[in-house]
Amino acid sequence: MRRIAVPWGVLALWIAVLALAGPFAGKLGDVQHDRAVDYLPASADSTQVAKIQERLPGGETTELVLVYHRDGGLTAADRETAARQVAEVDRELDLMKAPEGVPSKSGDTLMYPVASTGPGTDEKARDAFVNDVRDIAHDTAGMGVDVGGPGALATDASEVYQSLDGPLLYTTVAVVALLLILIYRSPFLWLVPLAVAGVADFLSMGVAYGLNQAFGTTISGQSQGVMTILVFGAGTDYALLIVSRYREELRRFERPYEAMRAALRGCGPAVLASSATVAAGLLCLLAADLNSSRGMGPLGADGVLCALVAMLTLLPAVLVLLGRRVFWPLVPAFGSRPKERRSLFTAMGSSAGRRPRAVLGVGAVLLGARALGSFALPGSLEQEDSFTDRPDSVVAMRTLADAYPESSSQPITVIAPTGKAGEALATARATDGVSRANSGRSGGGWTEIDVVAKAAPQTPAETATLEALREGLDGQGAYVGGPSAEQLDLKDTNARDRLVVVPIVLAAVLLILVVLLRSLVAPLLLLTAVVAVWGAALGIGGLVFGPLFGFDGTDPGLGLLSFVFLVALGVDYGIFLMHRMREEVLGGAPTGAAALTALRTTGAVIASAGLVLAATFSVLTSMPMVQLVELGFVIAVGVLLDTFLVRTYLVTSASYALGRKVWWPGPLSRARDEAAPPPAQERELAPTP
């Protein structure tokens, strides 16, 4: 009776949980934001400027630039058309002041700066305002019109992130489904882990909404997309391990319920430890100052833990209820033995065991050579280069840069206490590199000052002007912000976050591994391996981002985020391997033989899991944002390196070479460890050298 009641009870409990989570999951889109403050450093000057602007009369300003252009020069009719369209924009959309046209020296471009407080901080209102301007200012008789500026860039980015949810989910599901069909070779079995992962994703959305309401967790399009990837990637990995062990136990136990209990006892600790490691590593991002990174930590951990709970409860219940027939046509019969066949991982392990030091040396050289490519990474990614395609806003900014090389088309915003506004204005005008500065709105004890630099946006010359402006205003209680200042703060804060977060991640993961493996050497071995993988993956990115993908820059947050994900996820597979190795050693096997047995028994599962995880992250490379493409590529490459080079060859070789020392200072390191050859079965299946 219990064998039937428990699975049905678990299923009923999940139905109740989903019913409770449903209303919250449906509201997640309402709290997803992709404003500047959602990605900026919490303590940066530019963040303070954005927050104070929201409180000024009229709220936050949406700034645009209308760019009229004709190759060969604008005609008098073109200028009349431009003036008429801009007047209609002013009349229909309630601008702060009537725009004035600024012609280029070449005579082929005319720009109109446009600003409005109408949309305020409402992203939907801002997007509607930008699209209304684009509807009014349209191409006419060969004259091109593009709408650029910070507001247009933000709208284009927001539309991209809002469009990710559907394609990202569908593509991820399709990729995982295809791989599961190939792995299981069953017309039915692949549906079970995929459906359970979908349930976990739905639950994670409800939990994410709760985190936002309870703790104010930042939810952006980027963090929500990564959460979905983690649910399907990590969840499928756990499912592969559980189903593989369950298949083994079905040959030993007649009833599926007893087989599943044995499977969970065998692989449950490894799954729990691996998920705890990933979640702990991601939660270390809470120490970051960057809002987007700090928000990604809890959401990533939410995805991993929801996947864990679903795979340890709902998946076993469904499999038990479906019985052996779910494995059709390869049904594991009770009392049967799997066919012995030549195993790729047996051969790989045996070759690593014959010359462990040579394998370690070659592997270290390969990873080190790949890591050198990181020096070829492009410079920091500029805001207008963050799209894989060139939307209207980017075309406008490129046109402005070519037509007005002597002046910036993107103002710098200074927010000063009203009592010191005059002094701040004088300081701004006297700063080297400033073309002009004018006082704007005041309210709430603050005054806004618009500063225009002589140099083009996000160039070294403009950066020097920004730094000189901040130095001159130091002590006056003023803040310097705007799009260029935001990019500078992002770069500086990411450098600071790497110095803070990386040691915390390493310490947290090391502590979990020490507790799990009761050793110090084995955890250090695993950590060294995943750090080497991270360096090699970044290096490969440096070799392809510019020449192959045509990217003009690297996301400042790529180093930190890829490190956290690769360390946490890479150690995940190390736990599967080392946990099985420790089981073999506890059973009396020498460490060298245990390493080969662990690789033989878990190699196929780890390889399948690595392929699934790499494929899910590679889905990000099809997205239209450079930041997502770079992150997905580096993580996917790193997971593949970890799966097929580090786990199979380097960790196995190091364990074989170290022997019992790998368990130092635990009790296993003090037992006698003979230099035993591989078991007979492995010697027979290994290829002749």
Side-chain angles (χ1 to χ4, degrees):
M1 181 64 69
R2 185 183 178 188
R3 293 191 296 267
I4 301 298
V6 172
W8 281 112
V10 171
L11 196 60
L13 180 61
W14 267 99
I15 293 174
V17 168
L18 293 180
L20 292 174
F24 301 106
K27 296 180 180 178
L28 185 61
D30 299 335
V31 296
Q32 175 185 322
H33 299 291
D34 293 289
R35 303 168 300 179
V37 294
D38 297 316
Y39 288 86
L40 289 174
S43 61
D45 265 26
S46 55
T47 309
Q48 304 308 315
V49 168
K51 290 181 177 179
I52 294 172
Q53 280 183 314
E54 295 178 359
R55 303 196 299 267
L56 289 176
E60 188 177 275
T61 303
T62 299
E63 297 177 338
L64 306 176
V65 181
L66 275 62
V67 184
Y68 293 86
H69 177 81
R70 182 191 289 273
D71 293 334
L74 294 169
T75 65
D78 290 338
R79 294 186 179 88
E80 290 178 3
T81 300
R84 184 172 62 254
Q85 290 184 357
V86 172
E88 185 179 354
V89 170
D90 185 23
R91 182 174 62 254
E92 297 290 335
L93 300 178
D94 189 27
L95 302 182
M96 293 176 62
K97 60 181 180 180
E100 297 180 3
V102 181
S104 66
K105 291 182 179 180
S106 60
D108 60 3
T109 305
L110 180 63
M111 75 168 177
Y112 283 88
V114 171
S116 174
T117 57
T121 59
D122 189 332
E123 292 177 68
K124 293 182 179 178
R126 179 204 62 203
D127 296 344
F129 170 76
V130 173
N131 290 326
D132 287 342
V133 171
R134 285 171 170 167
D135 290 339
I136 297 173
H138 55 274
D139 296 353
T140 305
M143 178 179 65
V145 184
D146 298 302
V147 179
L153 285 168
T155 291
D156 288 338
S158 176
E159 289 179 353
V160 167
Y161 279 119
Q162 289 173 7
S163 68
L164 291 181
D165 294 346
L168 182 65
L169 177 61
Y170 304 147
T171 307
T172 302
V173 170
V175 168
V176 172
L178 177 62
L179 289 174
L180 287 177
I181 291 172
L182 294 175
I183 292 169
Y184 286 138
R185 291 171 291 171
S186 168
F188 307 113
L189 182 58
W190 64 274
L191 281 169
V192 179
L194 189 64
V196 172
V199 170
D201 185 48
F202 188 77
L203 176 62
S204 70
M205 293 169 64
V207 175
Y209 178 81
L211 290 173
N212 173 268
Q213 297 300 297
F215 306 105
T217 302
T218 300
I219 298 177
S220 64
Q222 184 184 49
S223 60
Q224 186 178 347
V226 170
M227 181 182 73
T228 297
I229 291 289
L230 283 171
V231 169
F232 280 91
T236 305
D237 282 2
Y238 303 150
L240 286 169
L241 194 68
I242 293 170
V243 172
S244 175
R245 192 64 176 257
Y246 177 52
R247 188 196 294 266
E248 290 181 25
E249 301 298 340
L250 280 173
R251 302 180 188 276
R252 299 174 51 217
F253 292 90
E254 182 177 4
R255 299 184 183 277
Y257 180 81
E258 280 77 14
M260 182 57 73
R261 287 184 60 185
L264 291 178
R265 281 197 302 267
C267 67
V271 172
L272 284 170
S274 63
S275 61
T277 304
V278 176
L282 292 173
L283 287 175
C284 292
L285 284 171
L286 288 170
D289 189 37
L290 200 65
N291 284 337
S292 56
S293 297
R294 193 169 61 249
M296 191 176 290
L299 257 66
D302 165 32
V304 170
L305 294 178
C306 285
L308 169 72
V309 173
M311 295 304 168
L312 284 182
T313 57
L314 182 59
L315 176 67
V318 173
L319 289 175
V320 168
L321 290 174
L322 291 175
R324 296 175 185 270
R325 58 184 177 273
V326 74
F327 288 94
W328 186 88
L330 304 175
V331 179
F334 172 61
S336 65
R337 295 184 61 184
K339 293 181 180 179
E340 294 184 359
R341 55 185 178 182
R342 189 181 188 88
S343 168
L344 171 65
F345 294 98
T346 298
M348 295 172 73
S350 298
S351 62
R354 282 193 295 271
R355 297 180 180 87
R357 291 176 177 80
V359 171
L360 278 175
V362 172
V365 169
L366 286 174
L367 292 177
R370 296 293 183 271
L372 292 176
S374 60
F375 293 104
L377 284 168
S380 294
L381 188 70
E382 297 182 5
Q383 188 178 21
E384 62 189 63
D385 295 325
S386 59
F387 303 90
T388 55
D389 296 323
R390 297 181 68 178
D392 189 39
S393 58
V394 172
V395 174
M397 302 308 287
R398 295 285 173 84
T399 302
L400 288 173
D402 294 337
Y404 302 87
E406 76 286 350
S407 178
S408 175
S409 58
Q410 191 166 270
I412 300 169
T413 303
V414 174
I415 295 289
T418 301
K420 295 185 177 182
E423 182 182 354
L425 181 60
T427 300
R429 287 173 174 169
T431 301
D432 289 339
V434 170
S435 174
R436 63 182 184 274
N438 300 297
S439 182
R441 294 180 302 160
S442 296
W446 297 96
T447 296
E448 182 180 84
I449 300 172
D450 291 328
V451 179
V452 178
K454 295 177 181 178
Q458 297 178 33
T459 58
E462 193 205 34
T463 299
T465 302
L466 274 168
E467 292 173 344
L469 191 58
R470 284 178 169 173
E471 184 178 353
L473 292 171
D474 188 32
Q476 298 181 19
Y479 300 105
V480 179
S484 296
E486 291 171 3
Q487 293 300 109
L488 180 62
D489 289 338
L490 283 173
K491 180 180 178 181
D492 293 343
T493 304
N494 272 297
R496 172 265 175 198
D497 285 349
R498 283 196 297 271
L499 294 175
V500 173
V501 176
V502 167
I504 296 176
V505 171
L506 292 175
V509 172
L510 179 63
L511 179 61
I512 293 175
L513 290 177
V514 168
V515 172
L516 174 69
L517 301 176
R518 297 174 179 85
S519 163
L520 185 59
V521 173
L524 288 174
L525 171 64
L526 293 179
L527 275 184
T528 302
V530 294
V531 171
V533 164
W534 169 71
L538 263 187
I540 294 174
L543 296 176
V544 302
F545 286 162
L548 185 61
F549 293 170
F551 295 159
D552 294 323
T554 305
D555 178 30
L558 176 65
L560 176 63
L561 293 180
S562 61
F563 177 85
V564 172
F565 281 108
L566 282 178
V567 168
L569 295 170
V571 168
D572 208 25
Y573 298 139
I575 288 175
F576 295 159
L577 185 68
M578 283 289 188
H579 185 268
R580 186 59 180 261
M581 189 191 309
R582 193 170 187 276
E583 282 187 31
E584 297 295 327
V585 173
L586 288 172
T591 302
L596 301 184
T597 302
L599 179 61
R600 175 174 55 83
T601 55
T602 66
V605 178
I606 291 178
S608 301
L611 283 173
V612 170
L613 191 62
T616 53
F617 270 100
S618 68
V619 170
L620 292 176
T621 62
S622 66
M623 299 296 107
M625 296 296 290
V626 172
Q627 297 95 320
L628 295 179
V629 174
E630 292 178 342
L631 182 64
F633 179 86
V634 170
I635 294 177
V637 168
V639 169
L640 291 176
L641 284 174
D642 188 83
T643 302
F644 294 102
L645 175 61
V646 173
R647 293 296 146 242
T648 50
Y649 278 114
L650 302 190
V651 172
T652 302
S653 297
S655 302
Y656 201 95
L658 290 171
R660 291 271 177 175
K661 295 177 183 177
V662 78
W663 307 112
W664 185 88
L668 290 179
S669 66
R670 294 188 288 273
R672 187 171 63 89
D673 193 4
E674 305 86 357
Q681 180 188 15
E682 295 185 1
R683 291 200 302 272
E684 293 171 2
L685 297 178
T688 303

